Amino acid sequence: MTIISLEVINRGPVIIDGEHIPTAIAMSAPYGARGPIIYGTSNSTHLIGGAFDDRTFVLNEYGLGFGPGIRIRASALDDVSRWMEGIVSEYVGNNLVITTDTYHGTGTYSRQYLRHAPAPDHVVTRLQAEGKKEG
């Protein structure tokens, strides 16, 4: 961020040894929207593993760049080798819903780091679970 202006504002008659002392300093700087930030954290408790289904994460941050169709990885903050992935089906307010299709590891965790995940070459885990073959 670049600060364009800095202004000292004198408030009230504060005079020490004949010198007027500023009692408030105001700084202003232009800044815009955060942009498409596709990462955040959640304190929602989730099982990594189990059935592939919709999982709702209440994000700790608002106004992020998640949107339907984006592939997301939710990693346990306590053990980032444990994660689940899926496609965003809904993002309203700070509620993010993903439809899971693969995971690594198992366990129940209450703190996750969510970020964009590249599309896998093959979603073998889901296909195997549904008894289907690739292609």
Side-chain angles (χ1 to χ4, degrees):
M1 175 188 326
T2 302
I3 297 176
I4 290 181
S5 66
L6 178 64
E7 182 179 351
V8 176
I9 301 171
N10 293 317
R11 303 252 186 220
V14 177
I15 300 173
I16 299 176
D17 294 330
E19 183 179 343
H20 191 246
I21 305 297
T23 57
I25 297 176
M27 294 188 301
S28 62
Y31 57 91
R34 293 170 43 156
I37 296 174
I38 306 177
Y39 61 86
T41 58
S42 174
N43 294 330
S44 301
T45 300
H46 284 284
L47 168 68
I48 295 177
F52 296 115
D53 55 10
D54 288 344
R55 310 281 178 102
T56 300
F57 295 86
V58 179
L59 298 175
N60 298 325
E61 305 81 17
Y62 290 85
L64 301 176
F66 295 111
I70 295 176
R71 184 165 191 80
I72 298 297
R73 174 176 285 187
S75 302
L77 283 173
D78 296 332
D79 182 354
V80 295
S81 71
R82 314 268 184 201
W83 50 263
M84 66 180 98
E85 286 185 2
I87 305 296
V88 173
S89 59
E90 186 177 356
Y91 179 48
V92 177
N94 67 331
N95 294 312
L96 176 71
V97 180
I98 66 171
T99 302
T100 59
D101 58 26
T102 190
Y103 56 85
H104 183 267
T106 59
T108 301
Y109 298 92
S110 60
R111 298 180 327 130
Q112 296 88 25
Y113 173 69
L114 294 98
R115 66 174 179 83
H116 175 266
D121 292 333
H122 302 286
V123 185
V124 177
T125 307
R126 181 173 200 147
L127 294 172
Q128 288 174 342
E130 293 175 355
K132 298 178 182 177
K133 294 183 179 181
E134 294 182 67

